[in-house]
Amino acid sequence: MKEVSKMIGFRPSIKVVDATLRDGGLVNSFFFPEGFAKALYETNVKAGVDYMEFGYKAAKDMFNEKDFGPCKFSDDEYIRSIVGDNDTDLKIAVMADVGRTNYKTDILPKSESPVDLIRVATYLHQIPGAIDMIEDAHKKGYETSCNIMAISNAQENDVRAALDLIGQSPVDVIYIVDSYGAIYPEQMARLAGVYGEFAAKYGKKLGIHAHDNQRLAFANTIEAVGDGVDYLDATYGAMGRGAGNCSMENLLGFLKNPKYNIYPVIKFIQDHIVPLKESGVVWGYDWQYLLTGLMNQHPRTAIQFTKDGRKDYAEFYKEVTAQE
């Protein structure tokens, strides 16, 4: 049983991270309407959000700039065009994927950049590369986090080995990532316990990034809060790849810290998220995402099912179960 105080009180150590431009950008190739990013930045400041993730730091020799909006690459100049000198309490983050970022050249020293936090995303087999990126960002003066993806498909011994290696790095925050939206709250509690062992051993903070394939992103996030996880990812209107993420409006409604203000969030959803959906941008829970979550599969097949406008859910069920 969780301690009641952990669920109805608040910890000053909790940090809310807005991932709308990054995870949300995956559903529209980062082509957000004019003024969207600026309005989101101003909303985050008013709402008391702690970090705003601007997007990926993708390698331009790997991805064609014409195919994506600016948040795919998160150039410092673009971020400055939105935040100026960022004379606020809101910190700026970007994500760097192992093997998809020219981090040695594209991530400048912190003294020359508006970015505060480099979030390194990695799979288990890429851990050595992730550690090199973490060390590089740390030496340049940044806060760092590490997102180990697809852990619902991993053996616990492999996860423990990865956590031990990452724990020895200078990383500040280690994230539990439910990439496939396949994890249930009781499993999240056990994972938080495993991650917590290494966080305590090496003096690290923990974070959570959840997907909503089974409508459990919010449930898993607040489960993790009760287990001592401090860095909480969320997106406005749950906007994110496939089924989306833990919604900012749910999360801020749950957190009891008076620094957070839900009204600006609701106003942004009204003025920007609803029109985005009405324009035809598609994300959020649907039966095809439920099925890939139940099967603990990457949602790429469900994403394609959605793009194709299919409605034959029973046939899709046979397709995803045939992969097992």
Side-chain angles (χ1 to χ4, degrees), residues 57-86:
K57 205 75 174 172
K60 293 179 182 178
D61 57 355
M62 186 176 291
F63 299 95
N64 190 333
E65 290 184 76
K66 295 179 181 179
D67 294 336
F68 302 96
C71 292
K72 177 72 171 179
F73 307 98
S74 302
D75 291 336
D76 287 349
E77 297 77 16
Y78 171 72
I79 295 174
R80 282 197 185 92
S81 74
I82 304 298
V83 309
D85 293 331
N86 189 31

Side-chain angles (χ1 to χ4, degrees), residues 235-247:
T235 62
Y236 285 69
M239 185 182 185
R241 184 202 64 192
N245 303 99
C246 174
S247 75

Side-chain angles (χ1 to χ4, degrees), residues 118-314:
I118 303 296
R119 284 155 55 95
V120 175
T122 182
Y123 289 102
L124 281 172
H125 68 279
Q126 300 172 313
I127 293 297
I131 291 172
D132 192 61
M133 292 173 66
I134 290 164
E135 290 175 344
D136 180 78
H138 177 76
K139 289 175 183 176
K140 289 173 177 174
Y142 293 97
E143 299 173 38
T144 57
S145 68
C146 185
N147 291 30
I148 309 173
M149 298 182 288
I151 57 165
S152 59
N153 271 343
Q155 298 294 319
E156 183 176 319
N157 286 343
D158 292 337
V159 173
R160 286 180 171 274
L163 290 172
D164 197 50
L165 288 170
I166 294 168
Q168 296 174 61
S169 79
V171 77
D172 298 297
V173 187
I174 303 172
Y175 263 81
I176 305 168
V177 183
D178 184 13
S179 300
Y180 301 162
I183 294 172
Y184 294 96
E186 62 270 24
Q187 294 171 306
M188 183 58 66
R190 291 198 296 271
L191 280 168
V194 171
Y195 276 61
E197 288 179 33
F198 292 91
K201 179 179 179 180
Y202 293 109
K204 309 300 183 182
K205 294 286 189 179
L206 293 179
I208 177 172
H209 181 86
H211 278 266
D212 211 24
N213 298 60
Q214 301 187 79
R215 290 183 170 172
L216 291 172
F218 175 57
N220 280 325
T221 299
I222 64 174
E223 177 73 33
V225 171
D227 291 309
V229 175
D230 282 328
Y231 281 66
L232 314 175
D233 282 17
T235 62
Y236 285 69
M239 185 182 185
R241 184 202 64 192
N245 303 99
C246 174
S247 75
M248 185 66 75
E249 55 273 25
N250 275 121
L251 183 59
L252 293 194
F254 165 77
L255 294 174
K256 305 305 184 287
N257 191 334
K259 72 169 281 189
Y260 298 124
N261 182 3
I262 196 172
Y263 175 74
V265 175
I266 301 302
K267 185 71 163 57
F268 182 85
I269 290 170
Q270 170 191 291
D271 294 345
H272 297 278
I273 295 295
V274 171
L276 200 61
K277 278 231 170 193
E278 290 175 343
S279 74
V281 181
V282 178
W283 75 86
Y285 171 84
D286 210 335
W287 293 286
Q288 61 270 30
Y289 295 117
L290 168 66
L291 293 176
T292 57
L294 288 172
M295 295 298 111
N296 194 13
Q297 295 176 8
H298 192 289
R300 63 175 62 90
T301 54
I303 292 170
Q304 190 60 50
F305 180 99
T306 306
K307 288 180 178 178
D308 292 344
R310 291 175 58 182
K311 300 297 180 185
D312 53 336
Y313 299 104

